[in-house]
Amino acid sequence: MWGEAHAGVPAADALAQVEDALVAGLRLPEGPVVDVHAHLGTDADGHHLDVADLVADMDAHGIAGAVCFPANQPGDAGDFAAANAAVARAAAEHPGRVVPFCRVDPAVRAAETMQRAAADGAVGLKLHPVAQRFALDDAACVAAVADATGRGWPVLVHAGFGARPLAAALATLTDEVPGARLILAHGARGDARAVAQLARERDGLWFDTSLAALPDLVALPPERVLFGADRPYGEHATARQLVALAARVAGWTPAQVEGVLWGNAHALLGLAP
Amino acid sequence: MNRVDAVRLVAMLGAIEMCLVRRDAVTGPLLAQAARAAEGTSAAPYVQAAARLARAHDLSARTAGVAPVRKVTQALCRAAAQEAQAAALEGGGATSPTRDAGG
């Protein structure tokens, strides 16, 4: 219910009815949905989500699969090793439901961490330039993206709250790593206008809808947009509402909406149909 | 929801979102104002539910029990803000009646 357990929330039944009415009115196409943005574990800021709660939430909202990566939980060594291993275990427990991405700090044994994560089944990389305090054109970040790209992995990059100006660094990064496939989280709302302009000029940039701003989403080509909810920061009801409203405002076709909800992610991630 | 009502709500809800994140004590009064501003619009159910939660709980409290209530309030505000943003982008006439059917 609104991303939270009913216990501890007063008047939960009435609130759940408001959520149900919202979802019922969306008129999104029937069919699979892939969420490309979910954090597992306990973040340094106190947010927490375990895989059982995520899968229950996915079941409630018809989400077939979710790209999962660690919360900001680098561990004492700063290399996310334990958190990545936990995501790998979650994926093993829920095959096909949890699509594991690993997370690294580019400055802390990134290559070694990715090698271990790949052996554990990771299929992508998550980078958070704000939490790990780096720029996308730092040499260590370029090296990490090149490593991921060499493995055939897409790279999901935090591009929302707290982001520095992104467009110039993204231009450098994509020049340095031809073939990189970058998913800019939160509709790149941290630098939306400049990044949208960049995306018109070059390939390799996608955007997720998690906690994105509607005016940013409707300016993007829907073929570059992927559904995301950002659990546990966001939740699935308003994440789906955002896609429905973007489709209405921008005039996306049903096929384009299906692409946003799952088709674009299937193609980018190489998921089984 | 016409464009003027929508822009007003977007502005109010943006301030409320930041107050919720910062656990500011003015969240409740701002939500009460927003609930009045949303009255009769399609965003009303969400803002009114959020305002009810704010009346019943001190959303600025740092106790663990309030955290899920604050998150639900944020989600309700997000639903309302997105509804209002869509209305603003679709550009309903600024001089049309200020109330719509709601729901």
Side-chain angles (χ1 to χ4, degrees):
Chain A
M1 184 267 305
W2 298 106
E4 297 297 314
H6 284 234
V9 180
D13 288 347
L15 290 165
Q17 286 177 13
V18 175
E19 182 185 40
D20 290 345
L22 167 66
V23 171
L26 297 181
R27 298 190 185 92
L28 288 169
E30 297 289 332
V33 177
V34 174
D35 176 354
V36 302
H37 195 132
H39 305 254
L40 293 178
T42 301
D43 198 279
D45 66 12
H47 281 80
H48 174 82
L49 183 64
D50 64 39
V51 70
D53 287 341
L54 174 64
V55 170
D57 188 45
M58 291 165 64
D59 289 344
H61 285 276
I63 311 295
V67 169
C68 294
F69 35 79
N72 188 28
Q73 194 175 17
D76 292 342
D79 61 2
F80 287 92
N84 286 326
V87 171
R89 285 195 298 275
E93 291 167 8
H94 300 277
R97 305 297 306 277
V98 170
V99 179
F101 276 30
C102 67
R103 180 165 174 170
V104 304
D105 180 338
V108 183
R109 292 188 293 281
E112 180 185 333
T113 300
M114 277 190 275
Q115 180 63 32
R116 191 182 312 123
D120 286 345
V123 296
L125 175 66
K126 163 69 186 291
L127 294 173
H128 201 303
V130 178
Q132 272 61 63
R133 299 173 183 268
F134 62 89
L136 292 175
D137 54 356
D138 287 352
C141 178
V142 172
V145 172
D147 189 334
T149 301
R151 297 176 187 279
W153 289 358
V155 181
L156 192 147
V157 180
H158 173 81
F161 185 74
R164 304 183 202 181
L166 291 169
L170 270 173
T172 299
L173 177 60
T174 52
D175 285 343
E176 293 282 330
V177 190
R181 297 178 298 156
L182 304 175
I183 304 166
L184 302 169
H186 319 304
R189 69 185 297 169
D191 197 10
R193 293 173 67 198
V195 174
Q197 178 61 38
L198 184 71
R200 282 191 280 273
E201 298 165 358
R202 58 183 71 201
D203 296 327
L205 300 177
W206 283 260
F207 300 82
D208 85 30
T209 66
S210 68
L211 299 182
L214 183 62
D216 298 337
L217 285 188
V218 299
L220 296 171
E223 293 75 17
R224 301 278 196 100
V225 178
L226 311 168
F227 174 76
D230 199 8
R231 296 285 294 123
Y233 297 89
E235 31 64 57
H236 282 118
T238 63
R240 293 168 67 192
Q241 177 203 27
L242 181 60
V243 171
L245 291 172
R248 191 178 86 195
V249 171
W252 293 346
T253 67
Q256 288 171 327
V257 177
E258 289 179 0
V260 169
L261 290 174
W262 65 273
N264 299 341
H266 268 241
L268 182 63
L269 300 169
L271 299 176
Chain B
M1 192 179 336
N2 71 39
R3 196 168 65 242
V4 172
D5 288 342
V7 171
R8 181 185 300 112
L9 264 182
V10 168
M12 297 176 93
L13 290 163
I16 290 165
E17 179 185 13
M18 195 49 61
C19 286
L20 281 164
V21 170
R22 296 173 63 89
R23 301 176 190 182
D24 195 302
V26 303
T27 301
L30 288 179
L31 270 169
Q33 291 176 4
R36 289 195 293 276
E39 202 171 297
T41 74
S42 53
Y46 316 119
V47 190
Q48 289 169 355
R52 281 194 296 274
L53 286 174
R55 279 197 300 275
H57 294 271
D58 176 8
L59 297 179
S60 65
R62 294 187 176 268
T63 52
V66 176
V69 182
R70 191 162 44 238
K71 293 293 293 183
V72 171
T73 307
Q74 281 182 300
L76 288 160
C77 289
R78 187 158 53 244
Q82 291 177 170
E83 193 73 29
Q85 287 169 2
L89 288 166
E90 288 173 322
T95 57
S96 66
T98 57
R99 300 295 184 218
D100 60 27

